[in-house]
Amino acid sequence: MMNIVVAIKVVPDDQDIQISAAGELDMSKAHQTISAYDLNAIEAAAQLAQAVGDSKVIALAVGGSAIDESKLKKNILARGAEELVMIADDACADLDAHATATVLAAELAKIGDVDLVVCGDGSADNYAQQVDVQLACKMGVASVNGVVEMSAAGSTLTAKRKLEDVIETVEAQLPCVVAVTPDIALPRIPGMRDILAAGKKPMNVGAADAAAETCLETIEIKAPEATERKQEVSNASDDGAIDAFVAALKAAL
Amino acid sequence: MDFNLTDEQELLIDSIKEFCERNFDEQKIREMYANHGMSDELIQAYLEAGFGLMGIPEEQGGIPCDLVTLGILTEEFAHYSGCITPFLNNTLAMRDLIDFGTPEQIEMGMAAYMETGKPIMSLGFSEPASGSDNMNMSCVTKKQADGTYILNGQKTWVTQGEVFPYVLVIAKDEDNARENREMSMWLVPKEIDGLSTAPLQKIGQQIMPFCEMYFDDVVLTEDMRVGKQGEGFKNLMKNFETERCLIVAQSIGCAQAAMDDAAAYVNERITFGKPIASYQLIQLKLAEMEIALQNSRNMLYKTLWKMDNGQSVRIDSALLKRYACMECTKVASEAMQIYGGLGFTTETRVGRMWSDLRGFQIAGGTDEIMVYIAGRQLAKQYARK
């Protein structure tokens, strides 16, 4: 039996983000959605819960008051979690990794009796890959990232980590925090039954106990400048064209 | 008036989109059309996602939903898959079996459906000389001294008639004379002695092949009867309105996919140095296509809403079927026109959509029969009291 918490970030849907001529990102028309990497995390948690048996998956999300949105909450709960704990508080809007980890740790302490925290590989917006490690640090437990496969027995988690050139298998004492790669599990497509059941699952939405301290100051977020295409065309049948093409590529990099 | 979708309906659409992104692409769709079918795994996946259970009663293991939601499922599945699949027909066949079958027949049919996602039977209703003119039906059963019945006659356009193990046949009781209104429904095994089939080639909707079916002295037993003796015609009429509306939902989804392609293409295609979107003749096409889609959709959901609320849709469903199926074919036709020469090739999918949509101007009642159904009622409705 395990209590598994999946930490979820709610992000603006990148398909709805508009970029102004000055490179500013306009997110005012963007719908709130589950960060894409976290879909794999929910699925991995649900599969582990099923493998272990008699286990529970709780989704935990922290963000501004806008994340308290009915369809979004049902969406999270239609994907394999049994319960949702959500801190929807404008004091928690746009937190950096440090502050997010602080709020998550406080909420995890309140949930209590958590065996495993599962995070996505990174967030779909900033992709800093920091929250999982900082959260483990605050909780004083092991952090295992890059996880492509995991199982649990007794008080031990066995995880395969995908590193640059090897797959490393590690064991960690539970409780611990893992960050899973998208390869770990293909997210389920919520079926109609899952969707209908989601609205009946517990949703605990609240405010943060205290404003979390951020340590990063965001100066600006801008889209990369569009560069003019060079429109140099190589004809592969010309003598030396391939070499020239390779040389042009190397020069551009 | 509230045009908002519920959270659940919006999430359903998201799931349909995800399902179609994973399971349908042009390569796969072309294979399905060439092979006249889709894989067992895909049919199973549709069921497991719960789409195939929607509209089936809870006591049969289904997920009950209103007709508006069933319309959304049907429309959006056709929209995001970009093709005409057999799933709607499968659901309609199961609803017929559940509405008319004996408890044993329903149990057998549901057990097979839950395992495979396929209905056990095709629907053998139309005949070469009897489509909307049901009274002209030639198929007839005659009771024998030993209590069995002998079935003779022919059915045609039997969708998936060569695929499923049974066929639900409607035949006149005892006498096929025009005046005889007594008909019964029978669940006949495809492999029964005296039943033979011949495939028919379609010009669209080829994922669902259809066939002709011949019955020569086929011996039926009482346990094959579906519904009450003599009530076949009543049963036949009962589900026609739902069928018409859902055919329209499928048409709108398919036409919307053609619109998506063509309306994006006008921004990309350059002639005389400008995107063709800047020409008023193209803008006129887009405007009229959008009007057709919005009108069709509004009529569809209003009709489904009326059915959900127990109101009569005898006129509405016929007007809807006529208007929307004709308009959806036009939308696809205009999409082809926007693509020019490319639209007439298999490099784009709009031509396939046009062929598929053309079929819906005939299936489930022709454009002309819809006038006949609605016209008489309209005259009555507007008559001075």
Side-chain angles (χ1 to χ4, degrees), chain B residues 199-299:
Chain B
L200 285 162
Q201 301 302 322
K202 295 185 185 182
I203 64 160
Q205 304 185 10
Q206 290 98 332
I207 304 182
M208 287 180 286
F210 58 25
C211 71
E212 291 192 288
M213 215 170 243
Y214 307 94
F215 305 93
D216 297 309
D217 291 335
V218 174
V219 180
L220 305 179
T221 49
E222 191 59 45
D223 60 334
M224 295 179 190
R225 190 192 297 277
V226 176
K228 294 200 177 102
Q229 179 175 355
E231 292 194 353
F233 185 72
K234 208 171 85 187
N235 289 345
L236 195 61
M237 293 297 119
K238 192 182 161 201
N239 286 346
F240 267 7
E241 285 168 348
T242 311
E243 184 193 4
R244 274 175 207 144
C245 292
L246 294 177
I247 283 176
V248 167
Q250 213 171 11
S251 296
I252 296 172
C254 188
Q256 182 66 56
M259 176 77 183
D260 291 351
D261 285 9
Y265 182 70
V266 299
N267 297 295
E268 296 149 11
R269 166 75 171 144
I270 309 285
T271 62
F272 306 104
K274 287 191 283 189
I276 60 171
S278 63
Y279 300 121
Q280 287 188 341
L281 279 173
I282 295 292
Q283 292 165 8
L284 178 63
K285 286 189 195 304
L286 293 181
E288 291 191 338
M289 289 158 81
E290 185 67 20
I291 289 169
L293 285 167
Q294 290 200 22
N295 272 343
S296 300
R297 194 173 284 122
N298 288 340
M299 278 177 92

Side-chain angles (χ1 to χ4, degrees), chain A residues 15 39 69-72 74-76 78-79 186-196 198-199, chain B residues 7-8 10-12 14-19 22-23 49-51 53-54 61-64 69 114:
Chain A
Q15 290 185 356
L39 297 176
E69 199 246 307
S70 146
K71 181 187 160 191
L72 176 80
K74 289 178 189 169
N75 193 3
I76 294 171
R79 292 175 179 271
L186 182 67
R188 71 190 61 187
I189 297 171
M192 199 56 209
R193 255 191 237 289
D194 304 316
I195 292 169
L196 291 170
Chain B
D7 289 342
E8 285 73 16
E10 285 186 11
L11 288 168
L12 170 68
D14 292 345
S15 284
I16 292 165
K17 198 172 168 204
E18 280 184 61
F19 185 93
R22 280 192 202 171
N23 294 294
F51 303 143
L53 295 173
M54 289 173 63
I63 304 171
T69 308
M114 290 305 227

Side-chain angles (χ1 to χ4, degrees), chain A residues 37-62:
Chain A
Y37 299 99
D38 295 344
L39 297 176
N40 303 89
I42 304 174
E43 186 61 40
Q47 289 183 10
L48 180 66
Q50 199 182 5
V52 173
D54 197 22
S55 297
K56 186 172 170 185
V57 177
I58 301 170
L60 173 60
V62 173

